[in-house]
Every structure is written in structure tokens, then in C-alpha cells.
Amino acid sequence: MDNEQRKQAGAAPLVQYVLRSIRLIVPGEQAEVNDIDGSSDRYDKDSFELFFIMSGTRQGKCYLQMPGRSKSMDQELMNCSYYQVCFVTSGYDAASSLLPNKHELACSPFAKTIELLDEIYKLRGESDELGRFQRFVRFQELLLFLFRQNAPAAEDQGTDMERHGIELSIRHIHQYYREILTVDELASLAGIDRWKYTRLFKEATGQVPLQYLNEVRINQAKKWLTSADDKLLDIALNAGFNNEYYFNRRFKQTVGISPGQYRRSRKGQLRVVAPYLEDFIVALDIQPIAQYCHAKWGKQDYLGLNHIPTFDENSGSFEALSSYKPDLILLMDRYEQQQYSQCRRISNTCILREQTNNWRTLLRTVADYFGRMELADAAIAKYDIKARSASHTLHQVMKGETVAFLRISADHIIQYTEEGQCFVSSVLYGDLGLRSHSAIGVTSKANQPGMFTLSVEDLRTLTADHLFITFDKWHSQEEGKERELLEQPEWLALPAVQNNRVYEVDFLTWMNNGIISNSKKIDDILRSLALA
């Protein structure tokens, strides 16, 4: 069957996209070489390269570099943190592949892009068949994500003159955003019929013209709110809004908080409550005015917020927050509607709808909300350097020895394994690359991947060389009930117990998935395994 017959039959084209290397480049740090297919370090003659910029003035940009033209990216990459992905195409249909014929690619939302890249990067050294297959699948997902946003449709791509007209109108918006602009005027400037202009504009930018114009105005207003003490009315008029009331309304709709609150947040004056998200806001140099506390688990002591009052998140009511007079309440999407209504009556409330186990994505989401992306990227880069250094140290010390982690309560023993994507697994087996050992149990009732419930009898199969444990007091009817397992003969017979290789760690530090908690996990692991 030739290529034309394959197309008529609806078969997939015979083209393959093969990942050769992925690198995370941080200014001042030498990049680690990870040639996945064992080929040479550079592939200028036949390789494509993707660059995803994570910091600097071009943050959020993605560039595709054709074979043999890598050096043309030097200026864009200067002083930036970025991912570099190198791949090749092969197969019968490689010449007519889906690769976009342009240098800069759309990759929105960028947080989704980084989430995929982070996972591919973690899998870069996988040598077993399942790990290699998972890396292959994630890379294809990344390409599909890019192809969908950048593939031209024959009937919709428009003529070169139309594309030039759209670009001209976009430049006009950036230059004259202060003036009254209408879609009719922009379409006329572009030389395109109005009905067609809006469609082509959205294909080019992802937004209709007036949404794009509003975003440009809001972004300009953000700069002035951060850098100057001008009156809100003056900022509104300079940004192109007719009056302060309309400016306030549109700003709050777009950003989530009022211009005045946004200004105070940049000066560290915004009064924020963020239950169980304190790890993220503290990492962004924001102090909450009240902090999460749980009747059984206590508060997140590892954050060092001893001077910050607590409130019981598990009480079922958030009414107590009103006494702290917050400017903003930041919540994850896990509460009852009644609790959200309570918070909205107290103050401005933002709900993080995007569900992700990737703490890097969540940190960037929170940072974007507060306008602190540079802080987030710097913190992530610092963490990645620390994790790579720790991984290298542990690789030399452990020499293939296995590690397991248990969460122990009065009536449950839960093991977190390498298949998990949150809490301890992403650090132990992902960032640090330690070798996992799994006992034979049953899938946890929590129905989460990488979590298994063990019986006391199942402990006989837990032959890990090293064992990290933490105690969950949630099910304890009396003090210390959760520790009774330590007296059981099945526990005392464990190899790790007999060899004095059991390490108890703080519950909330290890049951949180923020950048600060994960950094402290690395400290605990190094202290237990490398410094013992």
C-alpha cells in the first residue's frame, strides 16, 4: 500500500518521531547530557530541536529549530532557563510529516507543556521496557499537543496577504491600545472581511480581538501597578479604559483580585489565606495571615510559621476566617459548595480548578496568579539542582539497595510505590531515582495509583534494604495507638528493622507535595542514607 492508498484508507502515515535527548538548561549550571538513544551529543545534520523557555523575557515561548540551524537560537536562549528536546523523524512519510513549517510554535497552556516536559525529563534515564515505553508515549503526547495547535488547515489557513493583515492588526493593538478600537476598524486595517477576520484572529492568537485587546490593556496596567504609585484612575485611562469602575471590574474578572489588591500583593501587603497551599505561597515569599491546622495531624511545622495563627480546616466551616480579615482566600478544588459560599461572603475567593499532581505546575499556576513567575522559576531551578546533586550522591552510596515508604495508622498500613505521582513517590523514585521495593498487597481503597494497603501478614514480603515510615494519627482512638505495629513480631522480623535501617519522618512534611516539603524530604533522605 503506497502513501496515497494509505491516506484514502484512513491509515496512519508511516512516520516516526524518535526522541534522542532532553536537557534542562539552567544559567550557571553545566547541562547534563542525556542521549537517550546512545547517539552522539549533537545532531545538526538530521535532528530537529525544540526549545521551551521557562524564564526571562521570552518565558512561555517555544521554538522549533530545523536540522543544522541550532546556532541561530543563541540570542533567544541567553540567560534563560529552558528545556532542549532533540529528536529525528524517520519512515516512509517523513518528508510530509506534521512538523509545523515555522520557527515559533504555539504551546498553550504553557503549564501543560512544562508538565509533560517534566515527566519526560524524569524518565530520561529509564532503561526497563515499561519505563522506555512510558517515555515514548509522553513524548508523542507532547508532539501531539504542539501539532494540534500549529497544524494549518487547508481551508482555514488563509492567504499570505490575510496572515500579514492579522499581524498588522496585532501590532496596531499593541501600539494603540489606549485608543478606542473596534473589530470593524481592525478588520478594515487588516483588509479582511469582518466575519472572516475574527476567525483568523482567533486562530492566530487563541482569542477574539476584543479579548486580546483587553489582555494587552490589563498587562500594561499590571506593570504600572507594580512599578508606580499612580492613582487607579490615571492607570485606568492610560491603559485604555474609559473609567475606574470599568477598569476595576475587568481587572478583577481577568486577574481574580482588584487592582488595589494586586498592587498590595506586589509590596507584600496582601492578606492571604491559602489552606494547605501555604507551602506554595511561602515559596513565593508571601506570608499567610492564618495557616492550615488539623485536629489529628497538627500544622505544617516544617514551614516555620510558628508566629502565624491557625484555624481548623477539618471543622467543615470556614466562618472563622472572617476574624482575620483576608484580602484573598485561595483554595484548591476539593471542598463543598457551602464552604466556597462561606469564603465568598468573607472576601475575594479564588479556586484553583486545574487538578494536577505535578507540584511544579501548581507552583507556576499560583505564581502566575500573584505575578511572581520569576520567583517560581528560580525556586524550581534551585530545587532541580539540589535534586540532581542528591541523586548523584545517593547513586554512589546506595549501589542498588532498595527503598520503601510506609504510612502507618492504627488500622492501615499503606505503601507508596514508584508508580505514584505525588507525595513521596515523585521525590524518592522520580527526582532521586532510588530503587523501589514493593511488598505484595492490595490496591488502596483510595484508588490512587502507586498506593497499596498491606496487612500485617503482608509485611513478610517487605524485604526492602531501607525503610522510611511516618505515622498517621487520624484513626487513633488513644495516644500512640498507631505505633503498636512496632511491637508485632512480623515487624520485628523485617530485614530493615533488624539492620537498624528504619527512618521515621515527619507526617505533614512527607504527606505534602510542595516545593519546600519536597526539598526537606531530600534533606531527610540524605541524612538517613548518605550521612548514616
Side-chain angles (χ1 to χ4, degrees):
M1 181 184 292
D2 62 23
N3 195 45
E4 188 59 36
Q5 289 174 322
R6 290 180 58 81
K7 289 181 179 179
Q8 291 177 1
L14 291 174
V15 60
Q16 295 181 359
Y17 302 91
V18 182
L19 176 65
R20 282 190 164 177
S21 68
I22 178 169
R23 299 171 187 169
L24 176 60
I25 312 297
V26 179
E29 179 189 359
Q30 184 172 357
E32 179 182 352
V33 178
N34 297 286
D35 297 322
I36 290 170
D37 67 353
S39 302
S40 60
D41 181 42
R42 299 293 293 177
Y43 312 97
D44 289 345
K45 293 183 178 180
D46 61 352
S47 293
F48 297 84
E49 289 179 293
L50 286 165
F51 298 89
F52 301 87
I53 315 299
M54 299 191 298
S55 67
T57 57
R58 296 181 181 268
Q59 178 185 313
K61 299 289 187 181
C62 170
Y63 298 98
L64 171 64
Q65 198 66 55
M66 298 298 178
R69 297 178 59 187
S70 303
K71 293 183 179 180
S72 65
M73 283 297 301
D74 289 349
Q75 188 63 36
E76 285 89 343
L77 300 177
M78 189 175 297
N79 299 321
C80 293
S81 295
Y82 61 92
Y83 271 113
Q84 177 188 13
V85 177
C86 180
F87 67 99
V88 295
T89 60
S90 63
Y92 182 84
D93 197 32
S96 57
S97 70
L98 294 169
L99 287 167
N101 186 25
K102 55 183 180 179
H103 179 49
E104 182 174 339
L105 306 184
C107 56
S108 179
F110 193 63
K112 174 65 174 178
T113 312
I114 295 301
E115 186 173 345
L116 287 167
L117 287 164
D118 285 343
E119 187 166 0
I120 296 169
Y121 187 76
K122 287 182 182 179
L123 295 166
R124 66 194 184 281
E126 289 291 334
S127 57
D128 64 279
E129 187 174 2
L130 182 60
R132 295 199 309 271
F133 182 70
Q134 186 178 0
R135 182 178 64 216
F136 168 80
V137 171
R138 291 293 177 263
F139 178 59
Q140 306 308 310
E141 286 182 9
L142 175 66
L143 292 183
L144 179 61
F145 180 73
L146 295 174
F147 291 168
R148 280 177 170 165
Q149 296 186 58
N150 296 281
E155 68 276 13
D156 293 333
Q157 63 184 5
T159 65
D160 289 340
M161 185 175 296
E162 287 172 339
R163 287 194 293 271
H164 176 73
I166 295 295
E167 293 171 359
L168 180 64
S169 68
I170 290 173
R171 290 197 297 270
H172 185 83
I173 289 173
H174 281 273
Q175 185 173 358
Y176 298 104
Y177 62 87
R178 294 182 178 89
E179 301 181 6
I180 298 175
L181 299 177
T182 66
V183 177
D184 286 334
E185 177 186 350
L186 293 171
S188 177
L189 178 68
I192 303 172
D193 291 338
R194 188 189 189 285
W195 66 269
K196 193 174 185 181
Y197 171 78
T198 298
R199 175 170 56 82
L200 293 176
F201 189 97
K202 186 172 183 179
E203 289 172 1
T205 66
Q207 297 173 303
V208 297
L210 293 185
Q211 287 177 325
Y212 188 88
L213 171 61
N214 180 67
E215 184 175 279
V216 170
R217 289 171 170 170
I218 292 295
N219 286 337
Q220 290 297 326
K222 284 181 178 179
K223 295 178 183 178
W224 290 321
L225 287 166
T226 302
S227 61
D229 292 323
D230 296 341
K231 295 179 180 179
L232 292 183
L233 176 59
D234 293 336
I235 291 177
L237 296 176
N238 285 332
F241 295 95
N242 292 330
N243 56 68
E244 185 177 345
Y245 170 77
Y246 182 65
F247 168 58
N248 272 278
R249 186 161 65 88
R250 292 307 298 266
F251 192 96
K252 189 172 181 180
Q253 287 175 344
T254 304
V255 182
I257 54 178
S258 70
Q261 290 166 337
Y262 183 88
R263 171 179 273 169
R264 291 196 296 276
S265 75
R266 298 311 175 275
K267 298 180 179 180
Q269 298 172 353
L270 193 67
R271 297 174 60 81
V272 179
V273 178
Y276 210 57
L277 289 166
E278 289 91 352
D279 192 305
F280 297 91
I281 66 171
V282 170
L284 298 171
D285 200 24
I286 300 171
Q287 290 280 299
I289 59 171
Q291 62 173 315
Y292 163 96
C293 184
H294 188 282
K296 292 280 190 177
W297 298 336
K299 59 184 176 67
Q300 299 161 100
D301 290 319
Y302 72 89
L303 292 175
L305 299 175
N306 298 325
H307 60 295
I308 302 296
T310 63
F311 75 96
D312 185 1
E313 188 220 36
N314 199 50
S315 66
S317 172
F318 284 179
E319 292 292 353
L321 291 179
S322 61
S323 63
Y324 300 109
K325 297 180 172 56
D327 295 319
L328 173 69
I329 302 174
L330 187 64
L331 300 174
M332 297 188 72
D333 189 10
R334 65 176 188 177
Y335 300 102
E336 300 294 332
Q337 190 59 45
Q338 178 186 1
Q339 293 170 305
Y340 293 132
S341 298
Q342 289 175 346
C343 290
R344 292 190 181 99
R345 287 195 295 269
I346 295 170
S347 185
N348 297 296
T349 299
C350 175
I351 303 170
L352 300 179
R353 300 290 185 185
E354 185 176 1
Q355 296 296 306
T356 177
N357 289 327
N358 189 311
W359 64 263
R360 292 172 176 83
T361 300
L362 186 54
L363 179 62
R364 290 188 178 104
T365 300
V366 175
D368 183 57
Y369 190 83
F370 289 106
R372 302 194 177 200
M373 285 296 290
E374 289 186 6
L375 267 178
D377 286 335
I380 292 170
K382 183 178 180 181
Y383 174 89
D384 288 337
I385 292 171
K386 179 176 183 176
R388 285 196 292 276
S389 175
S391 178
H392 177 73
T393 299
L394 291 166
H395 180 72
Q396 294 180 318
V397 171
M398 294 295 286
K399 302 185 185 305
E401 293 179 344
T402 57
V403 176
F405 176 86
L406 299 180
R407 173 177 176 170
I408 303 170
S409 66
D411 55 4
H412 287 94
I413 307 171
I414 296 178
Q415 181 179 10
Y416 291 77
T417 67
E418 61 186 337
E419 290 81 13
Q421 297 298 315
C422 59
F423 295 148
V424 301
S425 303
S426 62
V427 179
L428 273 173
Y429 311 121
D431 296 335
L432 300 185
L434 293 174
R435 185 181 170 195
S436 172
H437 170 81
S438 299
I440 300 174
V442 297
T443 303
S444 169
K445 293 180 180 178
N447 198 29
Q448 296 183 23
M451 290 176 60
F452 292 89
T453 299
L454 306 179
S455 67
V456 174
E457 291 74 23
D458 291 333
L459 291 177
R460 294 189 179 94
T461 64
L462 187 62
T463 60
D465 297 303
H466 300 267
L467 187 58
F468 287 88
I469 62 172
T470 194
F471 291 99
D472 181 355
K473 298 180 180 181
W474 177 257
H475 301 282
S476 297
Q477 300 301 316
E478 57 186 75
E479 187 69 25
K481 189 73 174 175
E482 69 281 356
R483 292 179 174 269
E484 291 184 354
L485 174 68
L486 303 186
E487 305 300 325
Q488 298 291 328
E490 292 85 354
W491 175 266
L492 296 173
L494 292 179
V497 175
Q498 295 188 346
N499 294 322
N500 197 29
R501 290 179 170 181
V502 178
Y503 320 105
E504 181 179 345
V505 292
D506 177 64
F507 180 77
L508 280 179
T509 303
W510 280 63
M511 289 295 101
N512 205 326
N513 196 32
I515 184 172
I516 300 176
S517 69
N518 286 347
S519 181
K520 289 187 178 295
K521 290 185 186 77
I522 293 177
D523 294 337
D524 289 343
I525 294 165
L526 286 173
R527 191 181 306 113
S528 301
L529 301 180
L531 303 179

